């Protein structure tokens, strides 16, 4: 384990030093995207995938990006979290019951615990040429609003459940920019040989807490996510010099909740370590691939990924376009 209850707590408030780096990159990508369009009147939203380890400042960044793109650049922007596409409580219980020995999928989080058909349906609707063209033409009928699923993480004593559709918000017209964010966004499945090699590595930290077969289950499930990743026009990756800092960052966040809000439901340090342990195997398996580039092998998307590396204080120490 990378964290202990008596870790020193550094700055818990996250200063946005990332959007000033991201905005020029995104605008250049949007401009290149527009220049490639054969029919501007049928332009679909420009889709950005955004990945960042837990506690690194992902939420702060996407809020800043949406505000700047809309208010300063005049580009309508919709941010969607992959967390809102988790399986329903009932479906998650069924998945866990079908694989009772696989600790990776007893709780939401890892690949395989999302409703990919629901996510695909949402993206297909919002990216459809007919939807985009109807909203861009005054002579076309108004497009049917597209509902945006939402997930209630506090339901069932923290086990979570999908919110009732009656509570979902809707998007009345397609945004110019769509950002899909999440801690596993862009993770791509590994070849079996590579997966086994990582599992057998003496440097593995949490992989040995599971069987190879259980890791293979998650790896296989991840292949269902790839068609979603393939819709991305650009990608933003918030990386860390040391992935184990995710433990410390999450502990700091929970301590801040207790200190500033008196949140009695905030996790203890020990609970945070156990919580992050459930996610960390995926970081060990797939973070290297994101670093190498989620568009690797696609010559048409060279230069379409921005990687920002942060230090222990979550401030950017390096950025590179891949």
């Amino acid at each position: 384990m990378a964290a202990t209850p008596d870790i020193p707590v550094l700055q818990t408030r996250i200063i946005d030093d990332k959007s000033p780096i991201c905005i020029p990159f995104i605008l250049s990508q949007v401009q290149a995207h527009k220049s490639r369009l054969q029919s501007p009147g049928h332009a679909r939203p420009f889709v950005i995938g955004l990945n960042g380890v837990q506690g690194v400042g992902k939420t702060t960044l996407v809020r800043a990006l949406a505000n700047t793109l809309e208010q300063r650049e005049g580009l309508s922007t919709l941010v969607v979290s992959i967390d809102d596409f988790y399986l329903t409580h009932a479906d998650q219980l069924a998945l866990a019951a079908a694989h009772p020995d696989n600790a990776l999928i007893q709780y939401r989080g890892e690949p395989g615990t999302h409703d990919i058909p629901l996510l695909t349906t949402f993206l297909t609707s919002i990216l459809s040429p007919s939807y985009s063209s109807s909203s861009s033409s005054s002579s076309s009928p108004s497009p049917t609003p597209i509902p945006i699923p939402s997930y209630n993480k506090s339901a069932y004593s923290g086990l979570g459940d999908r919110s009732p559709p009656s509570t979902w918000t809707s998007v009345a017209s397609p945004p110019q920019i769509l950002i899909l964010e999440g801690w596993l966004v862009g993770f791509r499945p590994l070849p079996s040989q590579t997966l086994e090699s990582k599992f057998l590595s003496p440097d593995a930290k949490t992989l040995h807490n599971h069987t190879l077969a259980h890791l293979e289950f998650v790896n296989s499930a991840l292949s269902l996510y790839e068609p979603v990743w393939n819709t991305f026009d650009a990608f933003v990756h918030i990386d860390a010099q040391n992935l184990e800092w995710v433990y410390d960052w999450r502990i700091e966040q929970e301590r801040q909740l207790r200190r500033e809000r008196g949140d009695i439901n905030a996790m203890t340090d020990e609970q945070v370590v156990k919580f992050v342990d459930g996610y960390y195997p995926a970081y060990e398996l797939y973070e290297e691939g994101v670093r190498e580039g989620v568009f690797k092998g696609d010559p048409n998307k060279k230069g379409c990924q921005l990687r920002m590396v942060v230090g222990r204080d979550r401030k950017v120490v390096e950025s590179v376009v891949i």
Side-chain angles (χ1 to χ4, degrees):
M1 295 181 185
T4 59
D6 59 349
I7 63 169
V9 177
L10 301 183
Q11 172 184 302
T12 54
R13 296 194 178 280
I14 301 171
I15 305 301
D16 175 36
D17 64 338
K18 301 173 185 63
S19 63
I21 301 173
C22 290
I23 292 297
F25 168 77
I26 291 174
L27 293 179
S28 68
Q29 294 295 317
V30 170
Q31 187 57 44
H33 174 72
K34 288 181 178 179
S35 68
R36 292 192 295 266
L37 292 175
Q38 296 181 350
S39 177
H42 292 75
R44 69 167 179 78
F46 182 83
V47 185
I48 301 171
L50 191 147
N51 171 296
V53 298
Q54 297 158 315
V56 77
K58 189 167 61 271
T59 300
T60 299
L61 174 60
V62 294
R63 286 175 180 167
L65 290 179
N67 288 337
T68 302
L69 289 170
E70 290 206 341
Q71 297 175 13
R72 193 184 77 187
E73 303 298 335
L75 297 169
S76 59
T77 303
L78 175 65
V79 176
V80 178
S81 172
I82 197 169
D83 287 359
D84 284 319
F85 294 87
Y86 279 128
L87 295 172
T88 63
H89 179 65
D91 287 343
Q92 177 59 50
L93 289 180
L95 175 66
H99 306 274
D101 297 331
N102 191 340
L104 292 166
I105 53 174
Q106 296 304 300
Y107 185 71
R108 69 174 189 268
E110 288 279 351
T113 63
H114 297 83
D115 189 334
I116 297 303
L118 179 65
L119 176 56
T120 301
T121 297
F122 169 77
L123 288 174
T124 299
S125 298
I126 206 167
L127 299 180
S128 68
S130 58
Y131 182 61
S132 299
S133 61
S134 64
S135 66
S136 62
S137 173
S138 58
S139 61
S140 301
S142 299
T144 302
I146 295 176
I148 306 173
S150 65
Y151 190 88
N152 180 3
K153 293 181 179 180
S154 65
Y156 290 97
S157 301
L159 293 179
D161 196 8
R162 186 173 302 152
S163 301
S166 60
T167 67
W168 298 358
T169 59
S170 297
V171 54
S173 59
Q176 291 168 283
I177 295 179
L178 172 64
I179 300 176
L180 177 64
E181 62 91 5
W183 73 278
L184 57 65
V185 169
F187 285 177
R188 293 191 182 273
L190 300 171
S192 297
Q193 187 174 3
T194 304
L195 182 73
E196 183 174 5
S197 177
K198 286 180 175 289
F199 174 71
L200 295 175
S201 171
D203 296 326
K205 294 177 175 61
T206 61
L207 298 183
H208 297 156
N209 297 335
H210 308 276
T211 68
L212 180 59
H214 291 166
L215 295 171
E216 288 174 337
F217 178 92
V218 169
N219 193 63
S220 177
L222 194 54
S223 64
L224 301 176
Y225 295 62
E226 290 212 276
V228 175
W229 309 160
N230 292 339
T231 66
F232 297 157
D233 299 299
F235 195 82
V236 174
H237 178 208
I238 315 174
D239 198 3
Q241 288 179 315
N242 185 340
L243 281 175
E244 291 187 47
W245 289 336
V246 67
Y247 287 92
D248 298 346
W249 290 334
R250 289 294 286 116
I251 285 177
E252 290 171 5
Q253 287 180 330
E254 295 299 315
R255 287 182 179 179
Q256 184 175 344
L257 288 175
R258 290 195 298 272
R259 182 172 61 252
E260 296 186 356
R261 304 180 189 177
D263 190 346
I264 61 174
N265 295 317
M267 289 185 285
T268 65
D269 295 347
E270 293 83 356
Q271 288 173 327
V272 170
V273 172
K274 183 178 180 181
F275 174 79
V276 177
D277 277 346
Y279 291 81
Y280 205 83
Y283 290 136
E284 291 195 71
L285 292 175
Y286 307 113
E287 192 72 13
E288 182 181 0
V290 179
R291 288 170 174 166
E292 292 177 350
V294 299
F295 301 128
K296 186 177 181 179
D298 186 345
N300 296 319
K301 291 186 178 180
K302 186 176 181 179
C304 292
Q305 176 171 329
L306 172 66
R307 175 175 175 246
M308 295 177 292
V309 183
V310 303
R312 173 63 179 82
D313 59 1
R314 303 182 183 90
K315 294 181 180 179
V316 178
V317 296
E318 176 188 7
S319 64
V320 60
V321 174
I322 302 173

